[in-house]
């Protein structure tokens, strides 16, 4: 079953991705739901609904091809500035997604996790997240990491404050290290993203994973998120596989 769906999507791809050189961690900025809806004369909420529909096959494909972690930017710390109706629609879609998809994700070996300040979400969203993370906690094939009420700056400030809480009172010799920062981030224990995909053509990272994206390869597609599909995912991975990653060093 898994192999069949992989063959289909690979057959449609512009180039065959190499199974030995996959990004371990893919992060996605799912942008363009609003523009997609506007072009079709639909509401922004309807654009987000299509955006959620697209997420399902992407998660499935990532799990099928052997990606370890998929992090998706579902709601940022800045998204609270949107009209209340749009915020409510996004929260309702999140709850609906978790209620309807958790069992299937579990059957695909997907563990649901979150990054961001989840305590700042509405109670219903928090309850649905707690249930989904608990139900999938023992799955080991892939992590689906939902960035919710997430901002890179907010995450860094919370990480440093957590470290301070653990180390107070500070003596003269105690210093914050890069390792201490990384291990206090919401992503502690996860590898840094190898590939950042942004849909809808915008060339910015929008406060997403500011620390963790230090050496990620960036792939931007003009495709609006509701039109993104597993073939687009393969294009992004194929492009990643053509890159030479030097991490600040020299090519051998
Ligand atoms: C950006 O598009 C997208 C968002 C702010 C939300 C992304 C959320 C989803 C795809 C669905 C929710 C996810 C889950 C897990 C239920 P935009 O609205 O900024 O688009 P625009 O730039 O065209 O206006």
């Amino acid at each position: 079953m898994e192999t069949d769906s992989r063959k289909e999507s690979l057959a449609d791809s512009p180039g065959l991705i190499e199974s030995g050189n996959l990004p371990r961690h893919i992060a996605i900025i799912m942008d363009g739901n609003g523009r997609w809806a506007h072009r079709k004369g639909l509401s922004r909420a309807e654009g987000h609904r299509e955006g959620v529909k697209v997420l399902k096959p992407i998660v499935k494909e990532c799990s099928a091809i052997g990606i370890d972690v998929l992090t998706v930017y579902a709601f940022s710390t800045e998204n609270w500035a949107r009209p209340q109706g749009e915020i409510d629609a996004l929260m309702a879609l999140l709850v609906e997604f978790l209620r309807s998809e958790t069992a299937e994700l579990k059957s695909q070996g997907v563990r649901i996790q979150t990054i961001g300040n989840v305590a700042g979400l509405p109670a219903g969203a928090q309850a649905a997240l707690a249930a989904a993370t608990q139900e999938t906690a023992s799955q080991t094939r892939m992590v689906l990491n939902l960035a919710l009420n997430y901002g890179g700056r907010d995450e860094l400030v919370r990480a440093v404050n957590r470290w301070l809480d653990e180390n107070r009172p500070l003596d003269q010799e105690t210093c914050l290290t890069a390792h201490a920062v990384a291990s206090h981030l919401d992503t502690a224990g996860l590898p840094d993203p190898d590939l950042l995909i942004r849909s809808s053509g915008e060339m910015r990272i929008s406060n997403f994973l500011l620390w963790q994206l230090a050496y990620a390869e960036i792939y931007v597609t003009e495709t609006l998120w509701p039109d993104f599909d597993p073939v687009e995912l393969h294009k992004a991975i194929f492009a990643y596989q053509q890159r030479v990653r030097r991490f600040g060093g020299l090519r051998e």
Side-chain angles (χ1 to χ4, degrees), residues 201-236:
E202 306 288 356
M203 297 284 184
R204 51 177 178 263
I205 57 173
S206 300
N207 202 14
F208 192 36
L209 300 169
L210 295 182
W211 177 278
Q212 301 89 333
L213 289 173
Y215 281 102
E217 296 298 326
I218 300 178
Y219 177 89
V220 176
T221 172
E222 291 295 324
T223 303
L224 302 176
W225 179 251
D227 293 326
F228 198 89
D229 62 12
V231 174
E232 292 276 347
L233 175 75
H234 278 257
K235 281 189 202 170

Side-chain angles (χ1 to χ4, degrees), residues 30-36 44 47-49 51-52 55 72-76 79 82 86 90 93-95 97 146 148 200 202 224-225:
M30 308 180 287
D31 194 16
N33 297 342
R35 273 162 287 171
W36 182 91
R44 293 182 60 81
H48 294 313
R49 177 169 288 283
V52 179
L55 183 57
V72 293
Y73 207 2
F75 193 87
S76 79
N79 287 153
R82 296 193 175 200
E86 183 173 347
L90 279 165
L93 284 168
L94 171 67
V95 172
F97 171 80
L146 302 172
L148 289 159
S200 94
E202 306 288 356
L224 302 176
W225 179 251

Side-chain angles (χ1 to χ4, degrees), residues 153-165:
R153 290 181 174 182
D154 179 67
E155 181 192 31
L156 277 162
V157 170
R158 286 187 291 103
V160 173
N161 280 324
R162 272 204 289 268
W163 178 84
L164 281 170
D165 284 346

Side-chain angles (χ1 to χ4, degrees), residues 54-86:
V54 162
L55 183 57
K56 298 176 199 173
I58 297 303
V59 175
K60 190 172 181 185
E61 185 63 11
C62 284
S63 166
I65 64 177
I67 303 300
D68 291 341
V69 185
L70 173 66
T71 298
V72 293
Y73 207 2
F75 193 87
S76 79
T77 45
E78 286 70 36
N79 287 153
W80 298 110
R82 296 193 175 200
Q84 192 59 43
E86 183 173 347

Side-chain angles (χ1 to χ4, degrees), residues 24-45:
R24 277 188 74 192
H25 182 171
I26 298 179
I28 307 185
I29 301 178
M30 308 180 287
D31 194 16
N33 297 342
R35 273 162 287 171
W36 182 91
H38 183 73
R39 285 178 197 173
K40 293 200 157 12
L42 301 170
S43 70
R44 293 182 60 81

Side-chain angles (χ1 to χ4, degrees), residues 62-207:
C62 284
S63 166
I65 64 177
I67 303 300
D68 291 341
V69 185
L70 173 66
T71 298
V72 293
Y73 207 2
F75 193 87
S76 79
T77 45
E78 286 70 36
N79 287 153
W80 298 110
R82 296 193 175 200
Q84 192 59 43
E86 183 173 347
I87 295 171
D88 293 345
L90 279 165
M91 294 301 151
L93 284 168
L94 171 67
V95 172
E96 197 181 309
F97 171 80
L98 293 168
R99 294 214 176 117
S100 66
E101 300 306 313
T102 298
E104 195 178 338
L105 290 172
K106 184 178 176 184
S107 76
Q108 291 161 12
V110 175
R111 181 163 83 245
I112 298 172
Q113 289 183 188
T114 58
I115 55 171
N117 190 0
V118 170
L121 296 173
Q126 288 189 50
L129 284 164
T133 52
Q134 202 180 337
E135 194 179 331
T136 59
S138 59
Q139 300 308 310
T140 55
R141 187 172 173 88
M142 188 181 87
V143 171
L144 171 61
N145 195 23
L146 302 172
L148 289 159
N149 193 17
Y150 177 86
R153 290 181 174 182
D154 179 67
E155 181 192 31
L156 277 162
V157 170
R158 286 187 291 103
V160 173
N161 280 324
R162 272 204 289 268
W163 178 84
L164 281 170
D165 284 346
E166 289 168 14
N167 288 280
R168 279 197 184 104
L170 287 183
D171 58 40
Q172 288 285 343
E173 284 75 45
T174 307
C175 286
L176 184 59
T177 61
H179 179 264
V181 173
S183 64
H184 287 76
L185 291 171
D186 298 346
T187 52
L190 297 176
D192 285 343
D194 302 292
L195 171 62
L196 170 70
I197 299 173
R198 182 166 189 148
S199 58
S200 94
E202 306 288 356
M203 297 284 184
R204 51 177 178 263
I205 57 173
S206 300
N207 202 14

